[in-house]
Amino acid sequence: QVQLVESGGGSVQAGDSLRLSCAASLRTLSTSGISTYAMGWFREVPGMEREFVAAISRSGGKTYYASSVKGRFAIFRDNIKNMLYLQMNSLKPEDTAVYYCAADLRYNDYTPQSRSEYDYWGQGTQITVSS
């Protein structure tokens, strides 16, 4: 099992940058750490479905982004430190949401984009972007 804890949320102005972090801890002994998990970021606005933001493969060699954030956000990971990050630049008011990190146990280097593919979720962190 994997426990995920997000941090780095807050209130910013449009055009600002913010970096989210997600710390992963594994409850089962494993020398592989989170390197056996694809990781992703999703976001949710009240009354709306949780939507995909970005995903990164187990190795970190492949990434995939929602069209709404491509070119502004960057997902990256540190498998040694069991950390996932989301660098968000040029933030817009429509980026306001609760952001969740997620982990998907994988045996290939794929970047899952569907919410249903992920096995573990963090508790979320709020991002508010003011115009």
Side-chain angles (χ1 to χ4, degrees), residues 5-26:
V5 179
E6 302 95 338
S7 61
S11 297
V12 296
Q13 296 291 316
D16 285 352
S17 297
L18 205 60
R19 178 177 293 184
L20 300 183
S21 299
C22 176
S25 60
L26 280 71

Side-chain angles (χ1 to χ4, degrees), residues 105-123:
L105 181 63
R106 280 268 156 194
Y107 298 99
N108 54 40
D109 212 30
Y110 177 65
T111 51
Q113 297 129 46
S114 172
R115 178 180 175 182
S116 62
E117 295 181 275
Y118 286 86
D119 307 300
Y120 304 101
W121 295 84
Q123 83 290 347

Side-chain angles (χ1 to χ4, degrees), residues 6 20 39-44 49-55 86 97-103 112-118 121 124-125:
E6 302 95 338
L20 300 183
M39 305 289 291
W41 288 97
F42 286 74
R43 64 187 182 187
E44 186 173 331
E49 286 196 6
R50 191 171 298 186
E51 67 171 357
F52 169 78
V53 175
L86 184 68
V98 177
Y99 283 72
Y100 298 87
C101 71
Q113 297 129 46
S114 172
R115 178 180 175 182
S116 62
E117 295 181 275
Y118 286 86
W121 295 84
T125 186

Side-chain angles (χ1 to χ4, degrees), residues 1-130:
Q1 279 191 319
V2 179
Q3 185 174 16
L4 303 171
V5 179
E6 302 95 338
S7 61
S11 297
V12 296
Q13 296 291 316
D16 285 352
S17 297
L18 205 60
R19 178 177 293 184
L20 300 183
S21 299
C22 176
S25 60
L26 280 71
R27 296 181 181 178
T28 55
L29 290 176
S30 170
T31 58
S32 300
I34 64 168
S35 64
T36 55
Y37 293 84
M39 305 289 291
W41 288 97
F42 286 74
R43 64 187 182 187
E44 186 173 331
V45 175
M48 304 288 285
E49 286 196 6
R50 191 171 298 186
E51 67 171 357
F52 169 78
V53 175
I56 188 166
S57 63
R58 290 174 32 169
S59 68
K62 297 178 182 178
T63 57
Y64 192 88
Y65 297 91
S67 57
S68 58
V69 306
K70 194 172 185 179
R72 299 188 297 121
F73 290 12
I75 185 171
F76 56 102
R77 63 192 294 165
D78 185 333
N79 286 347
I80 302 298
K81 296 181 179 179
N82 287 340
M83 293 292 296
L84 175 72
Y85 303 95
L86 184 68
Q87 178 66 40
M88 303 183 293
N89 300 324
S90 303
L91 283 162
K92 303 176 181 180
E94 50 263 43
D95 294 320
T96 295
V98 177
Y99 283 72
Y100 298 87
C101 71
D104 171 33
L105 181 63
R106 280 268 156 194
Y107 298 99
N108 54 40
D109 212 30
Y110 177 65
T111 51
Q113 297 129 46
S114 172
R115 178 180 175 182
S116 62
E117 295 181 275
Y118 286 86
D119 307 300
Y120 304 101
W121 295 84
Q123 83 290 347
T125 186
Q126 175 72 47
I127 304 295
T128 302
V129 185
S130 302

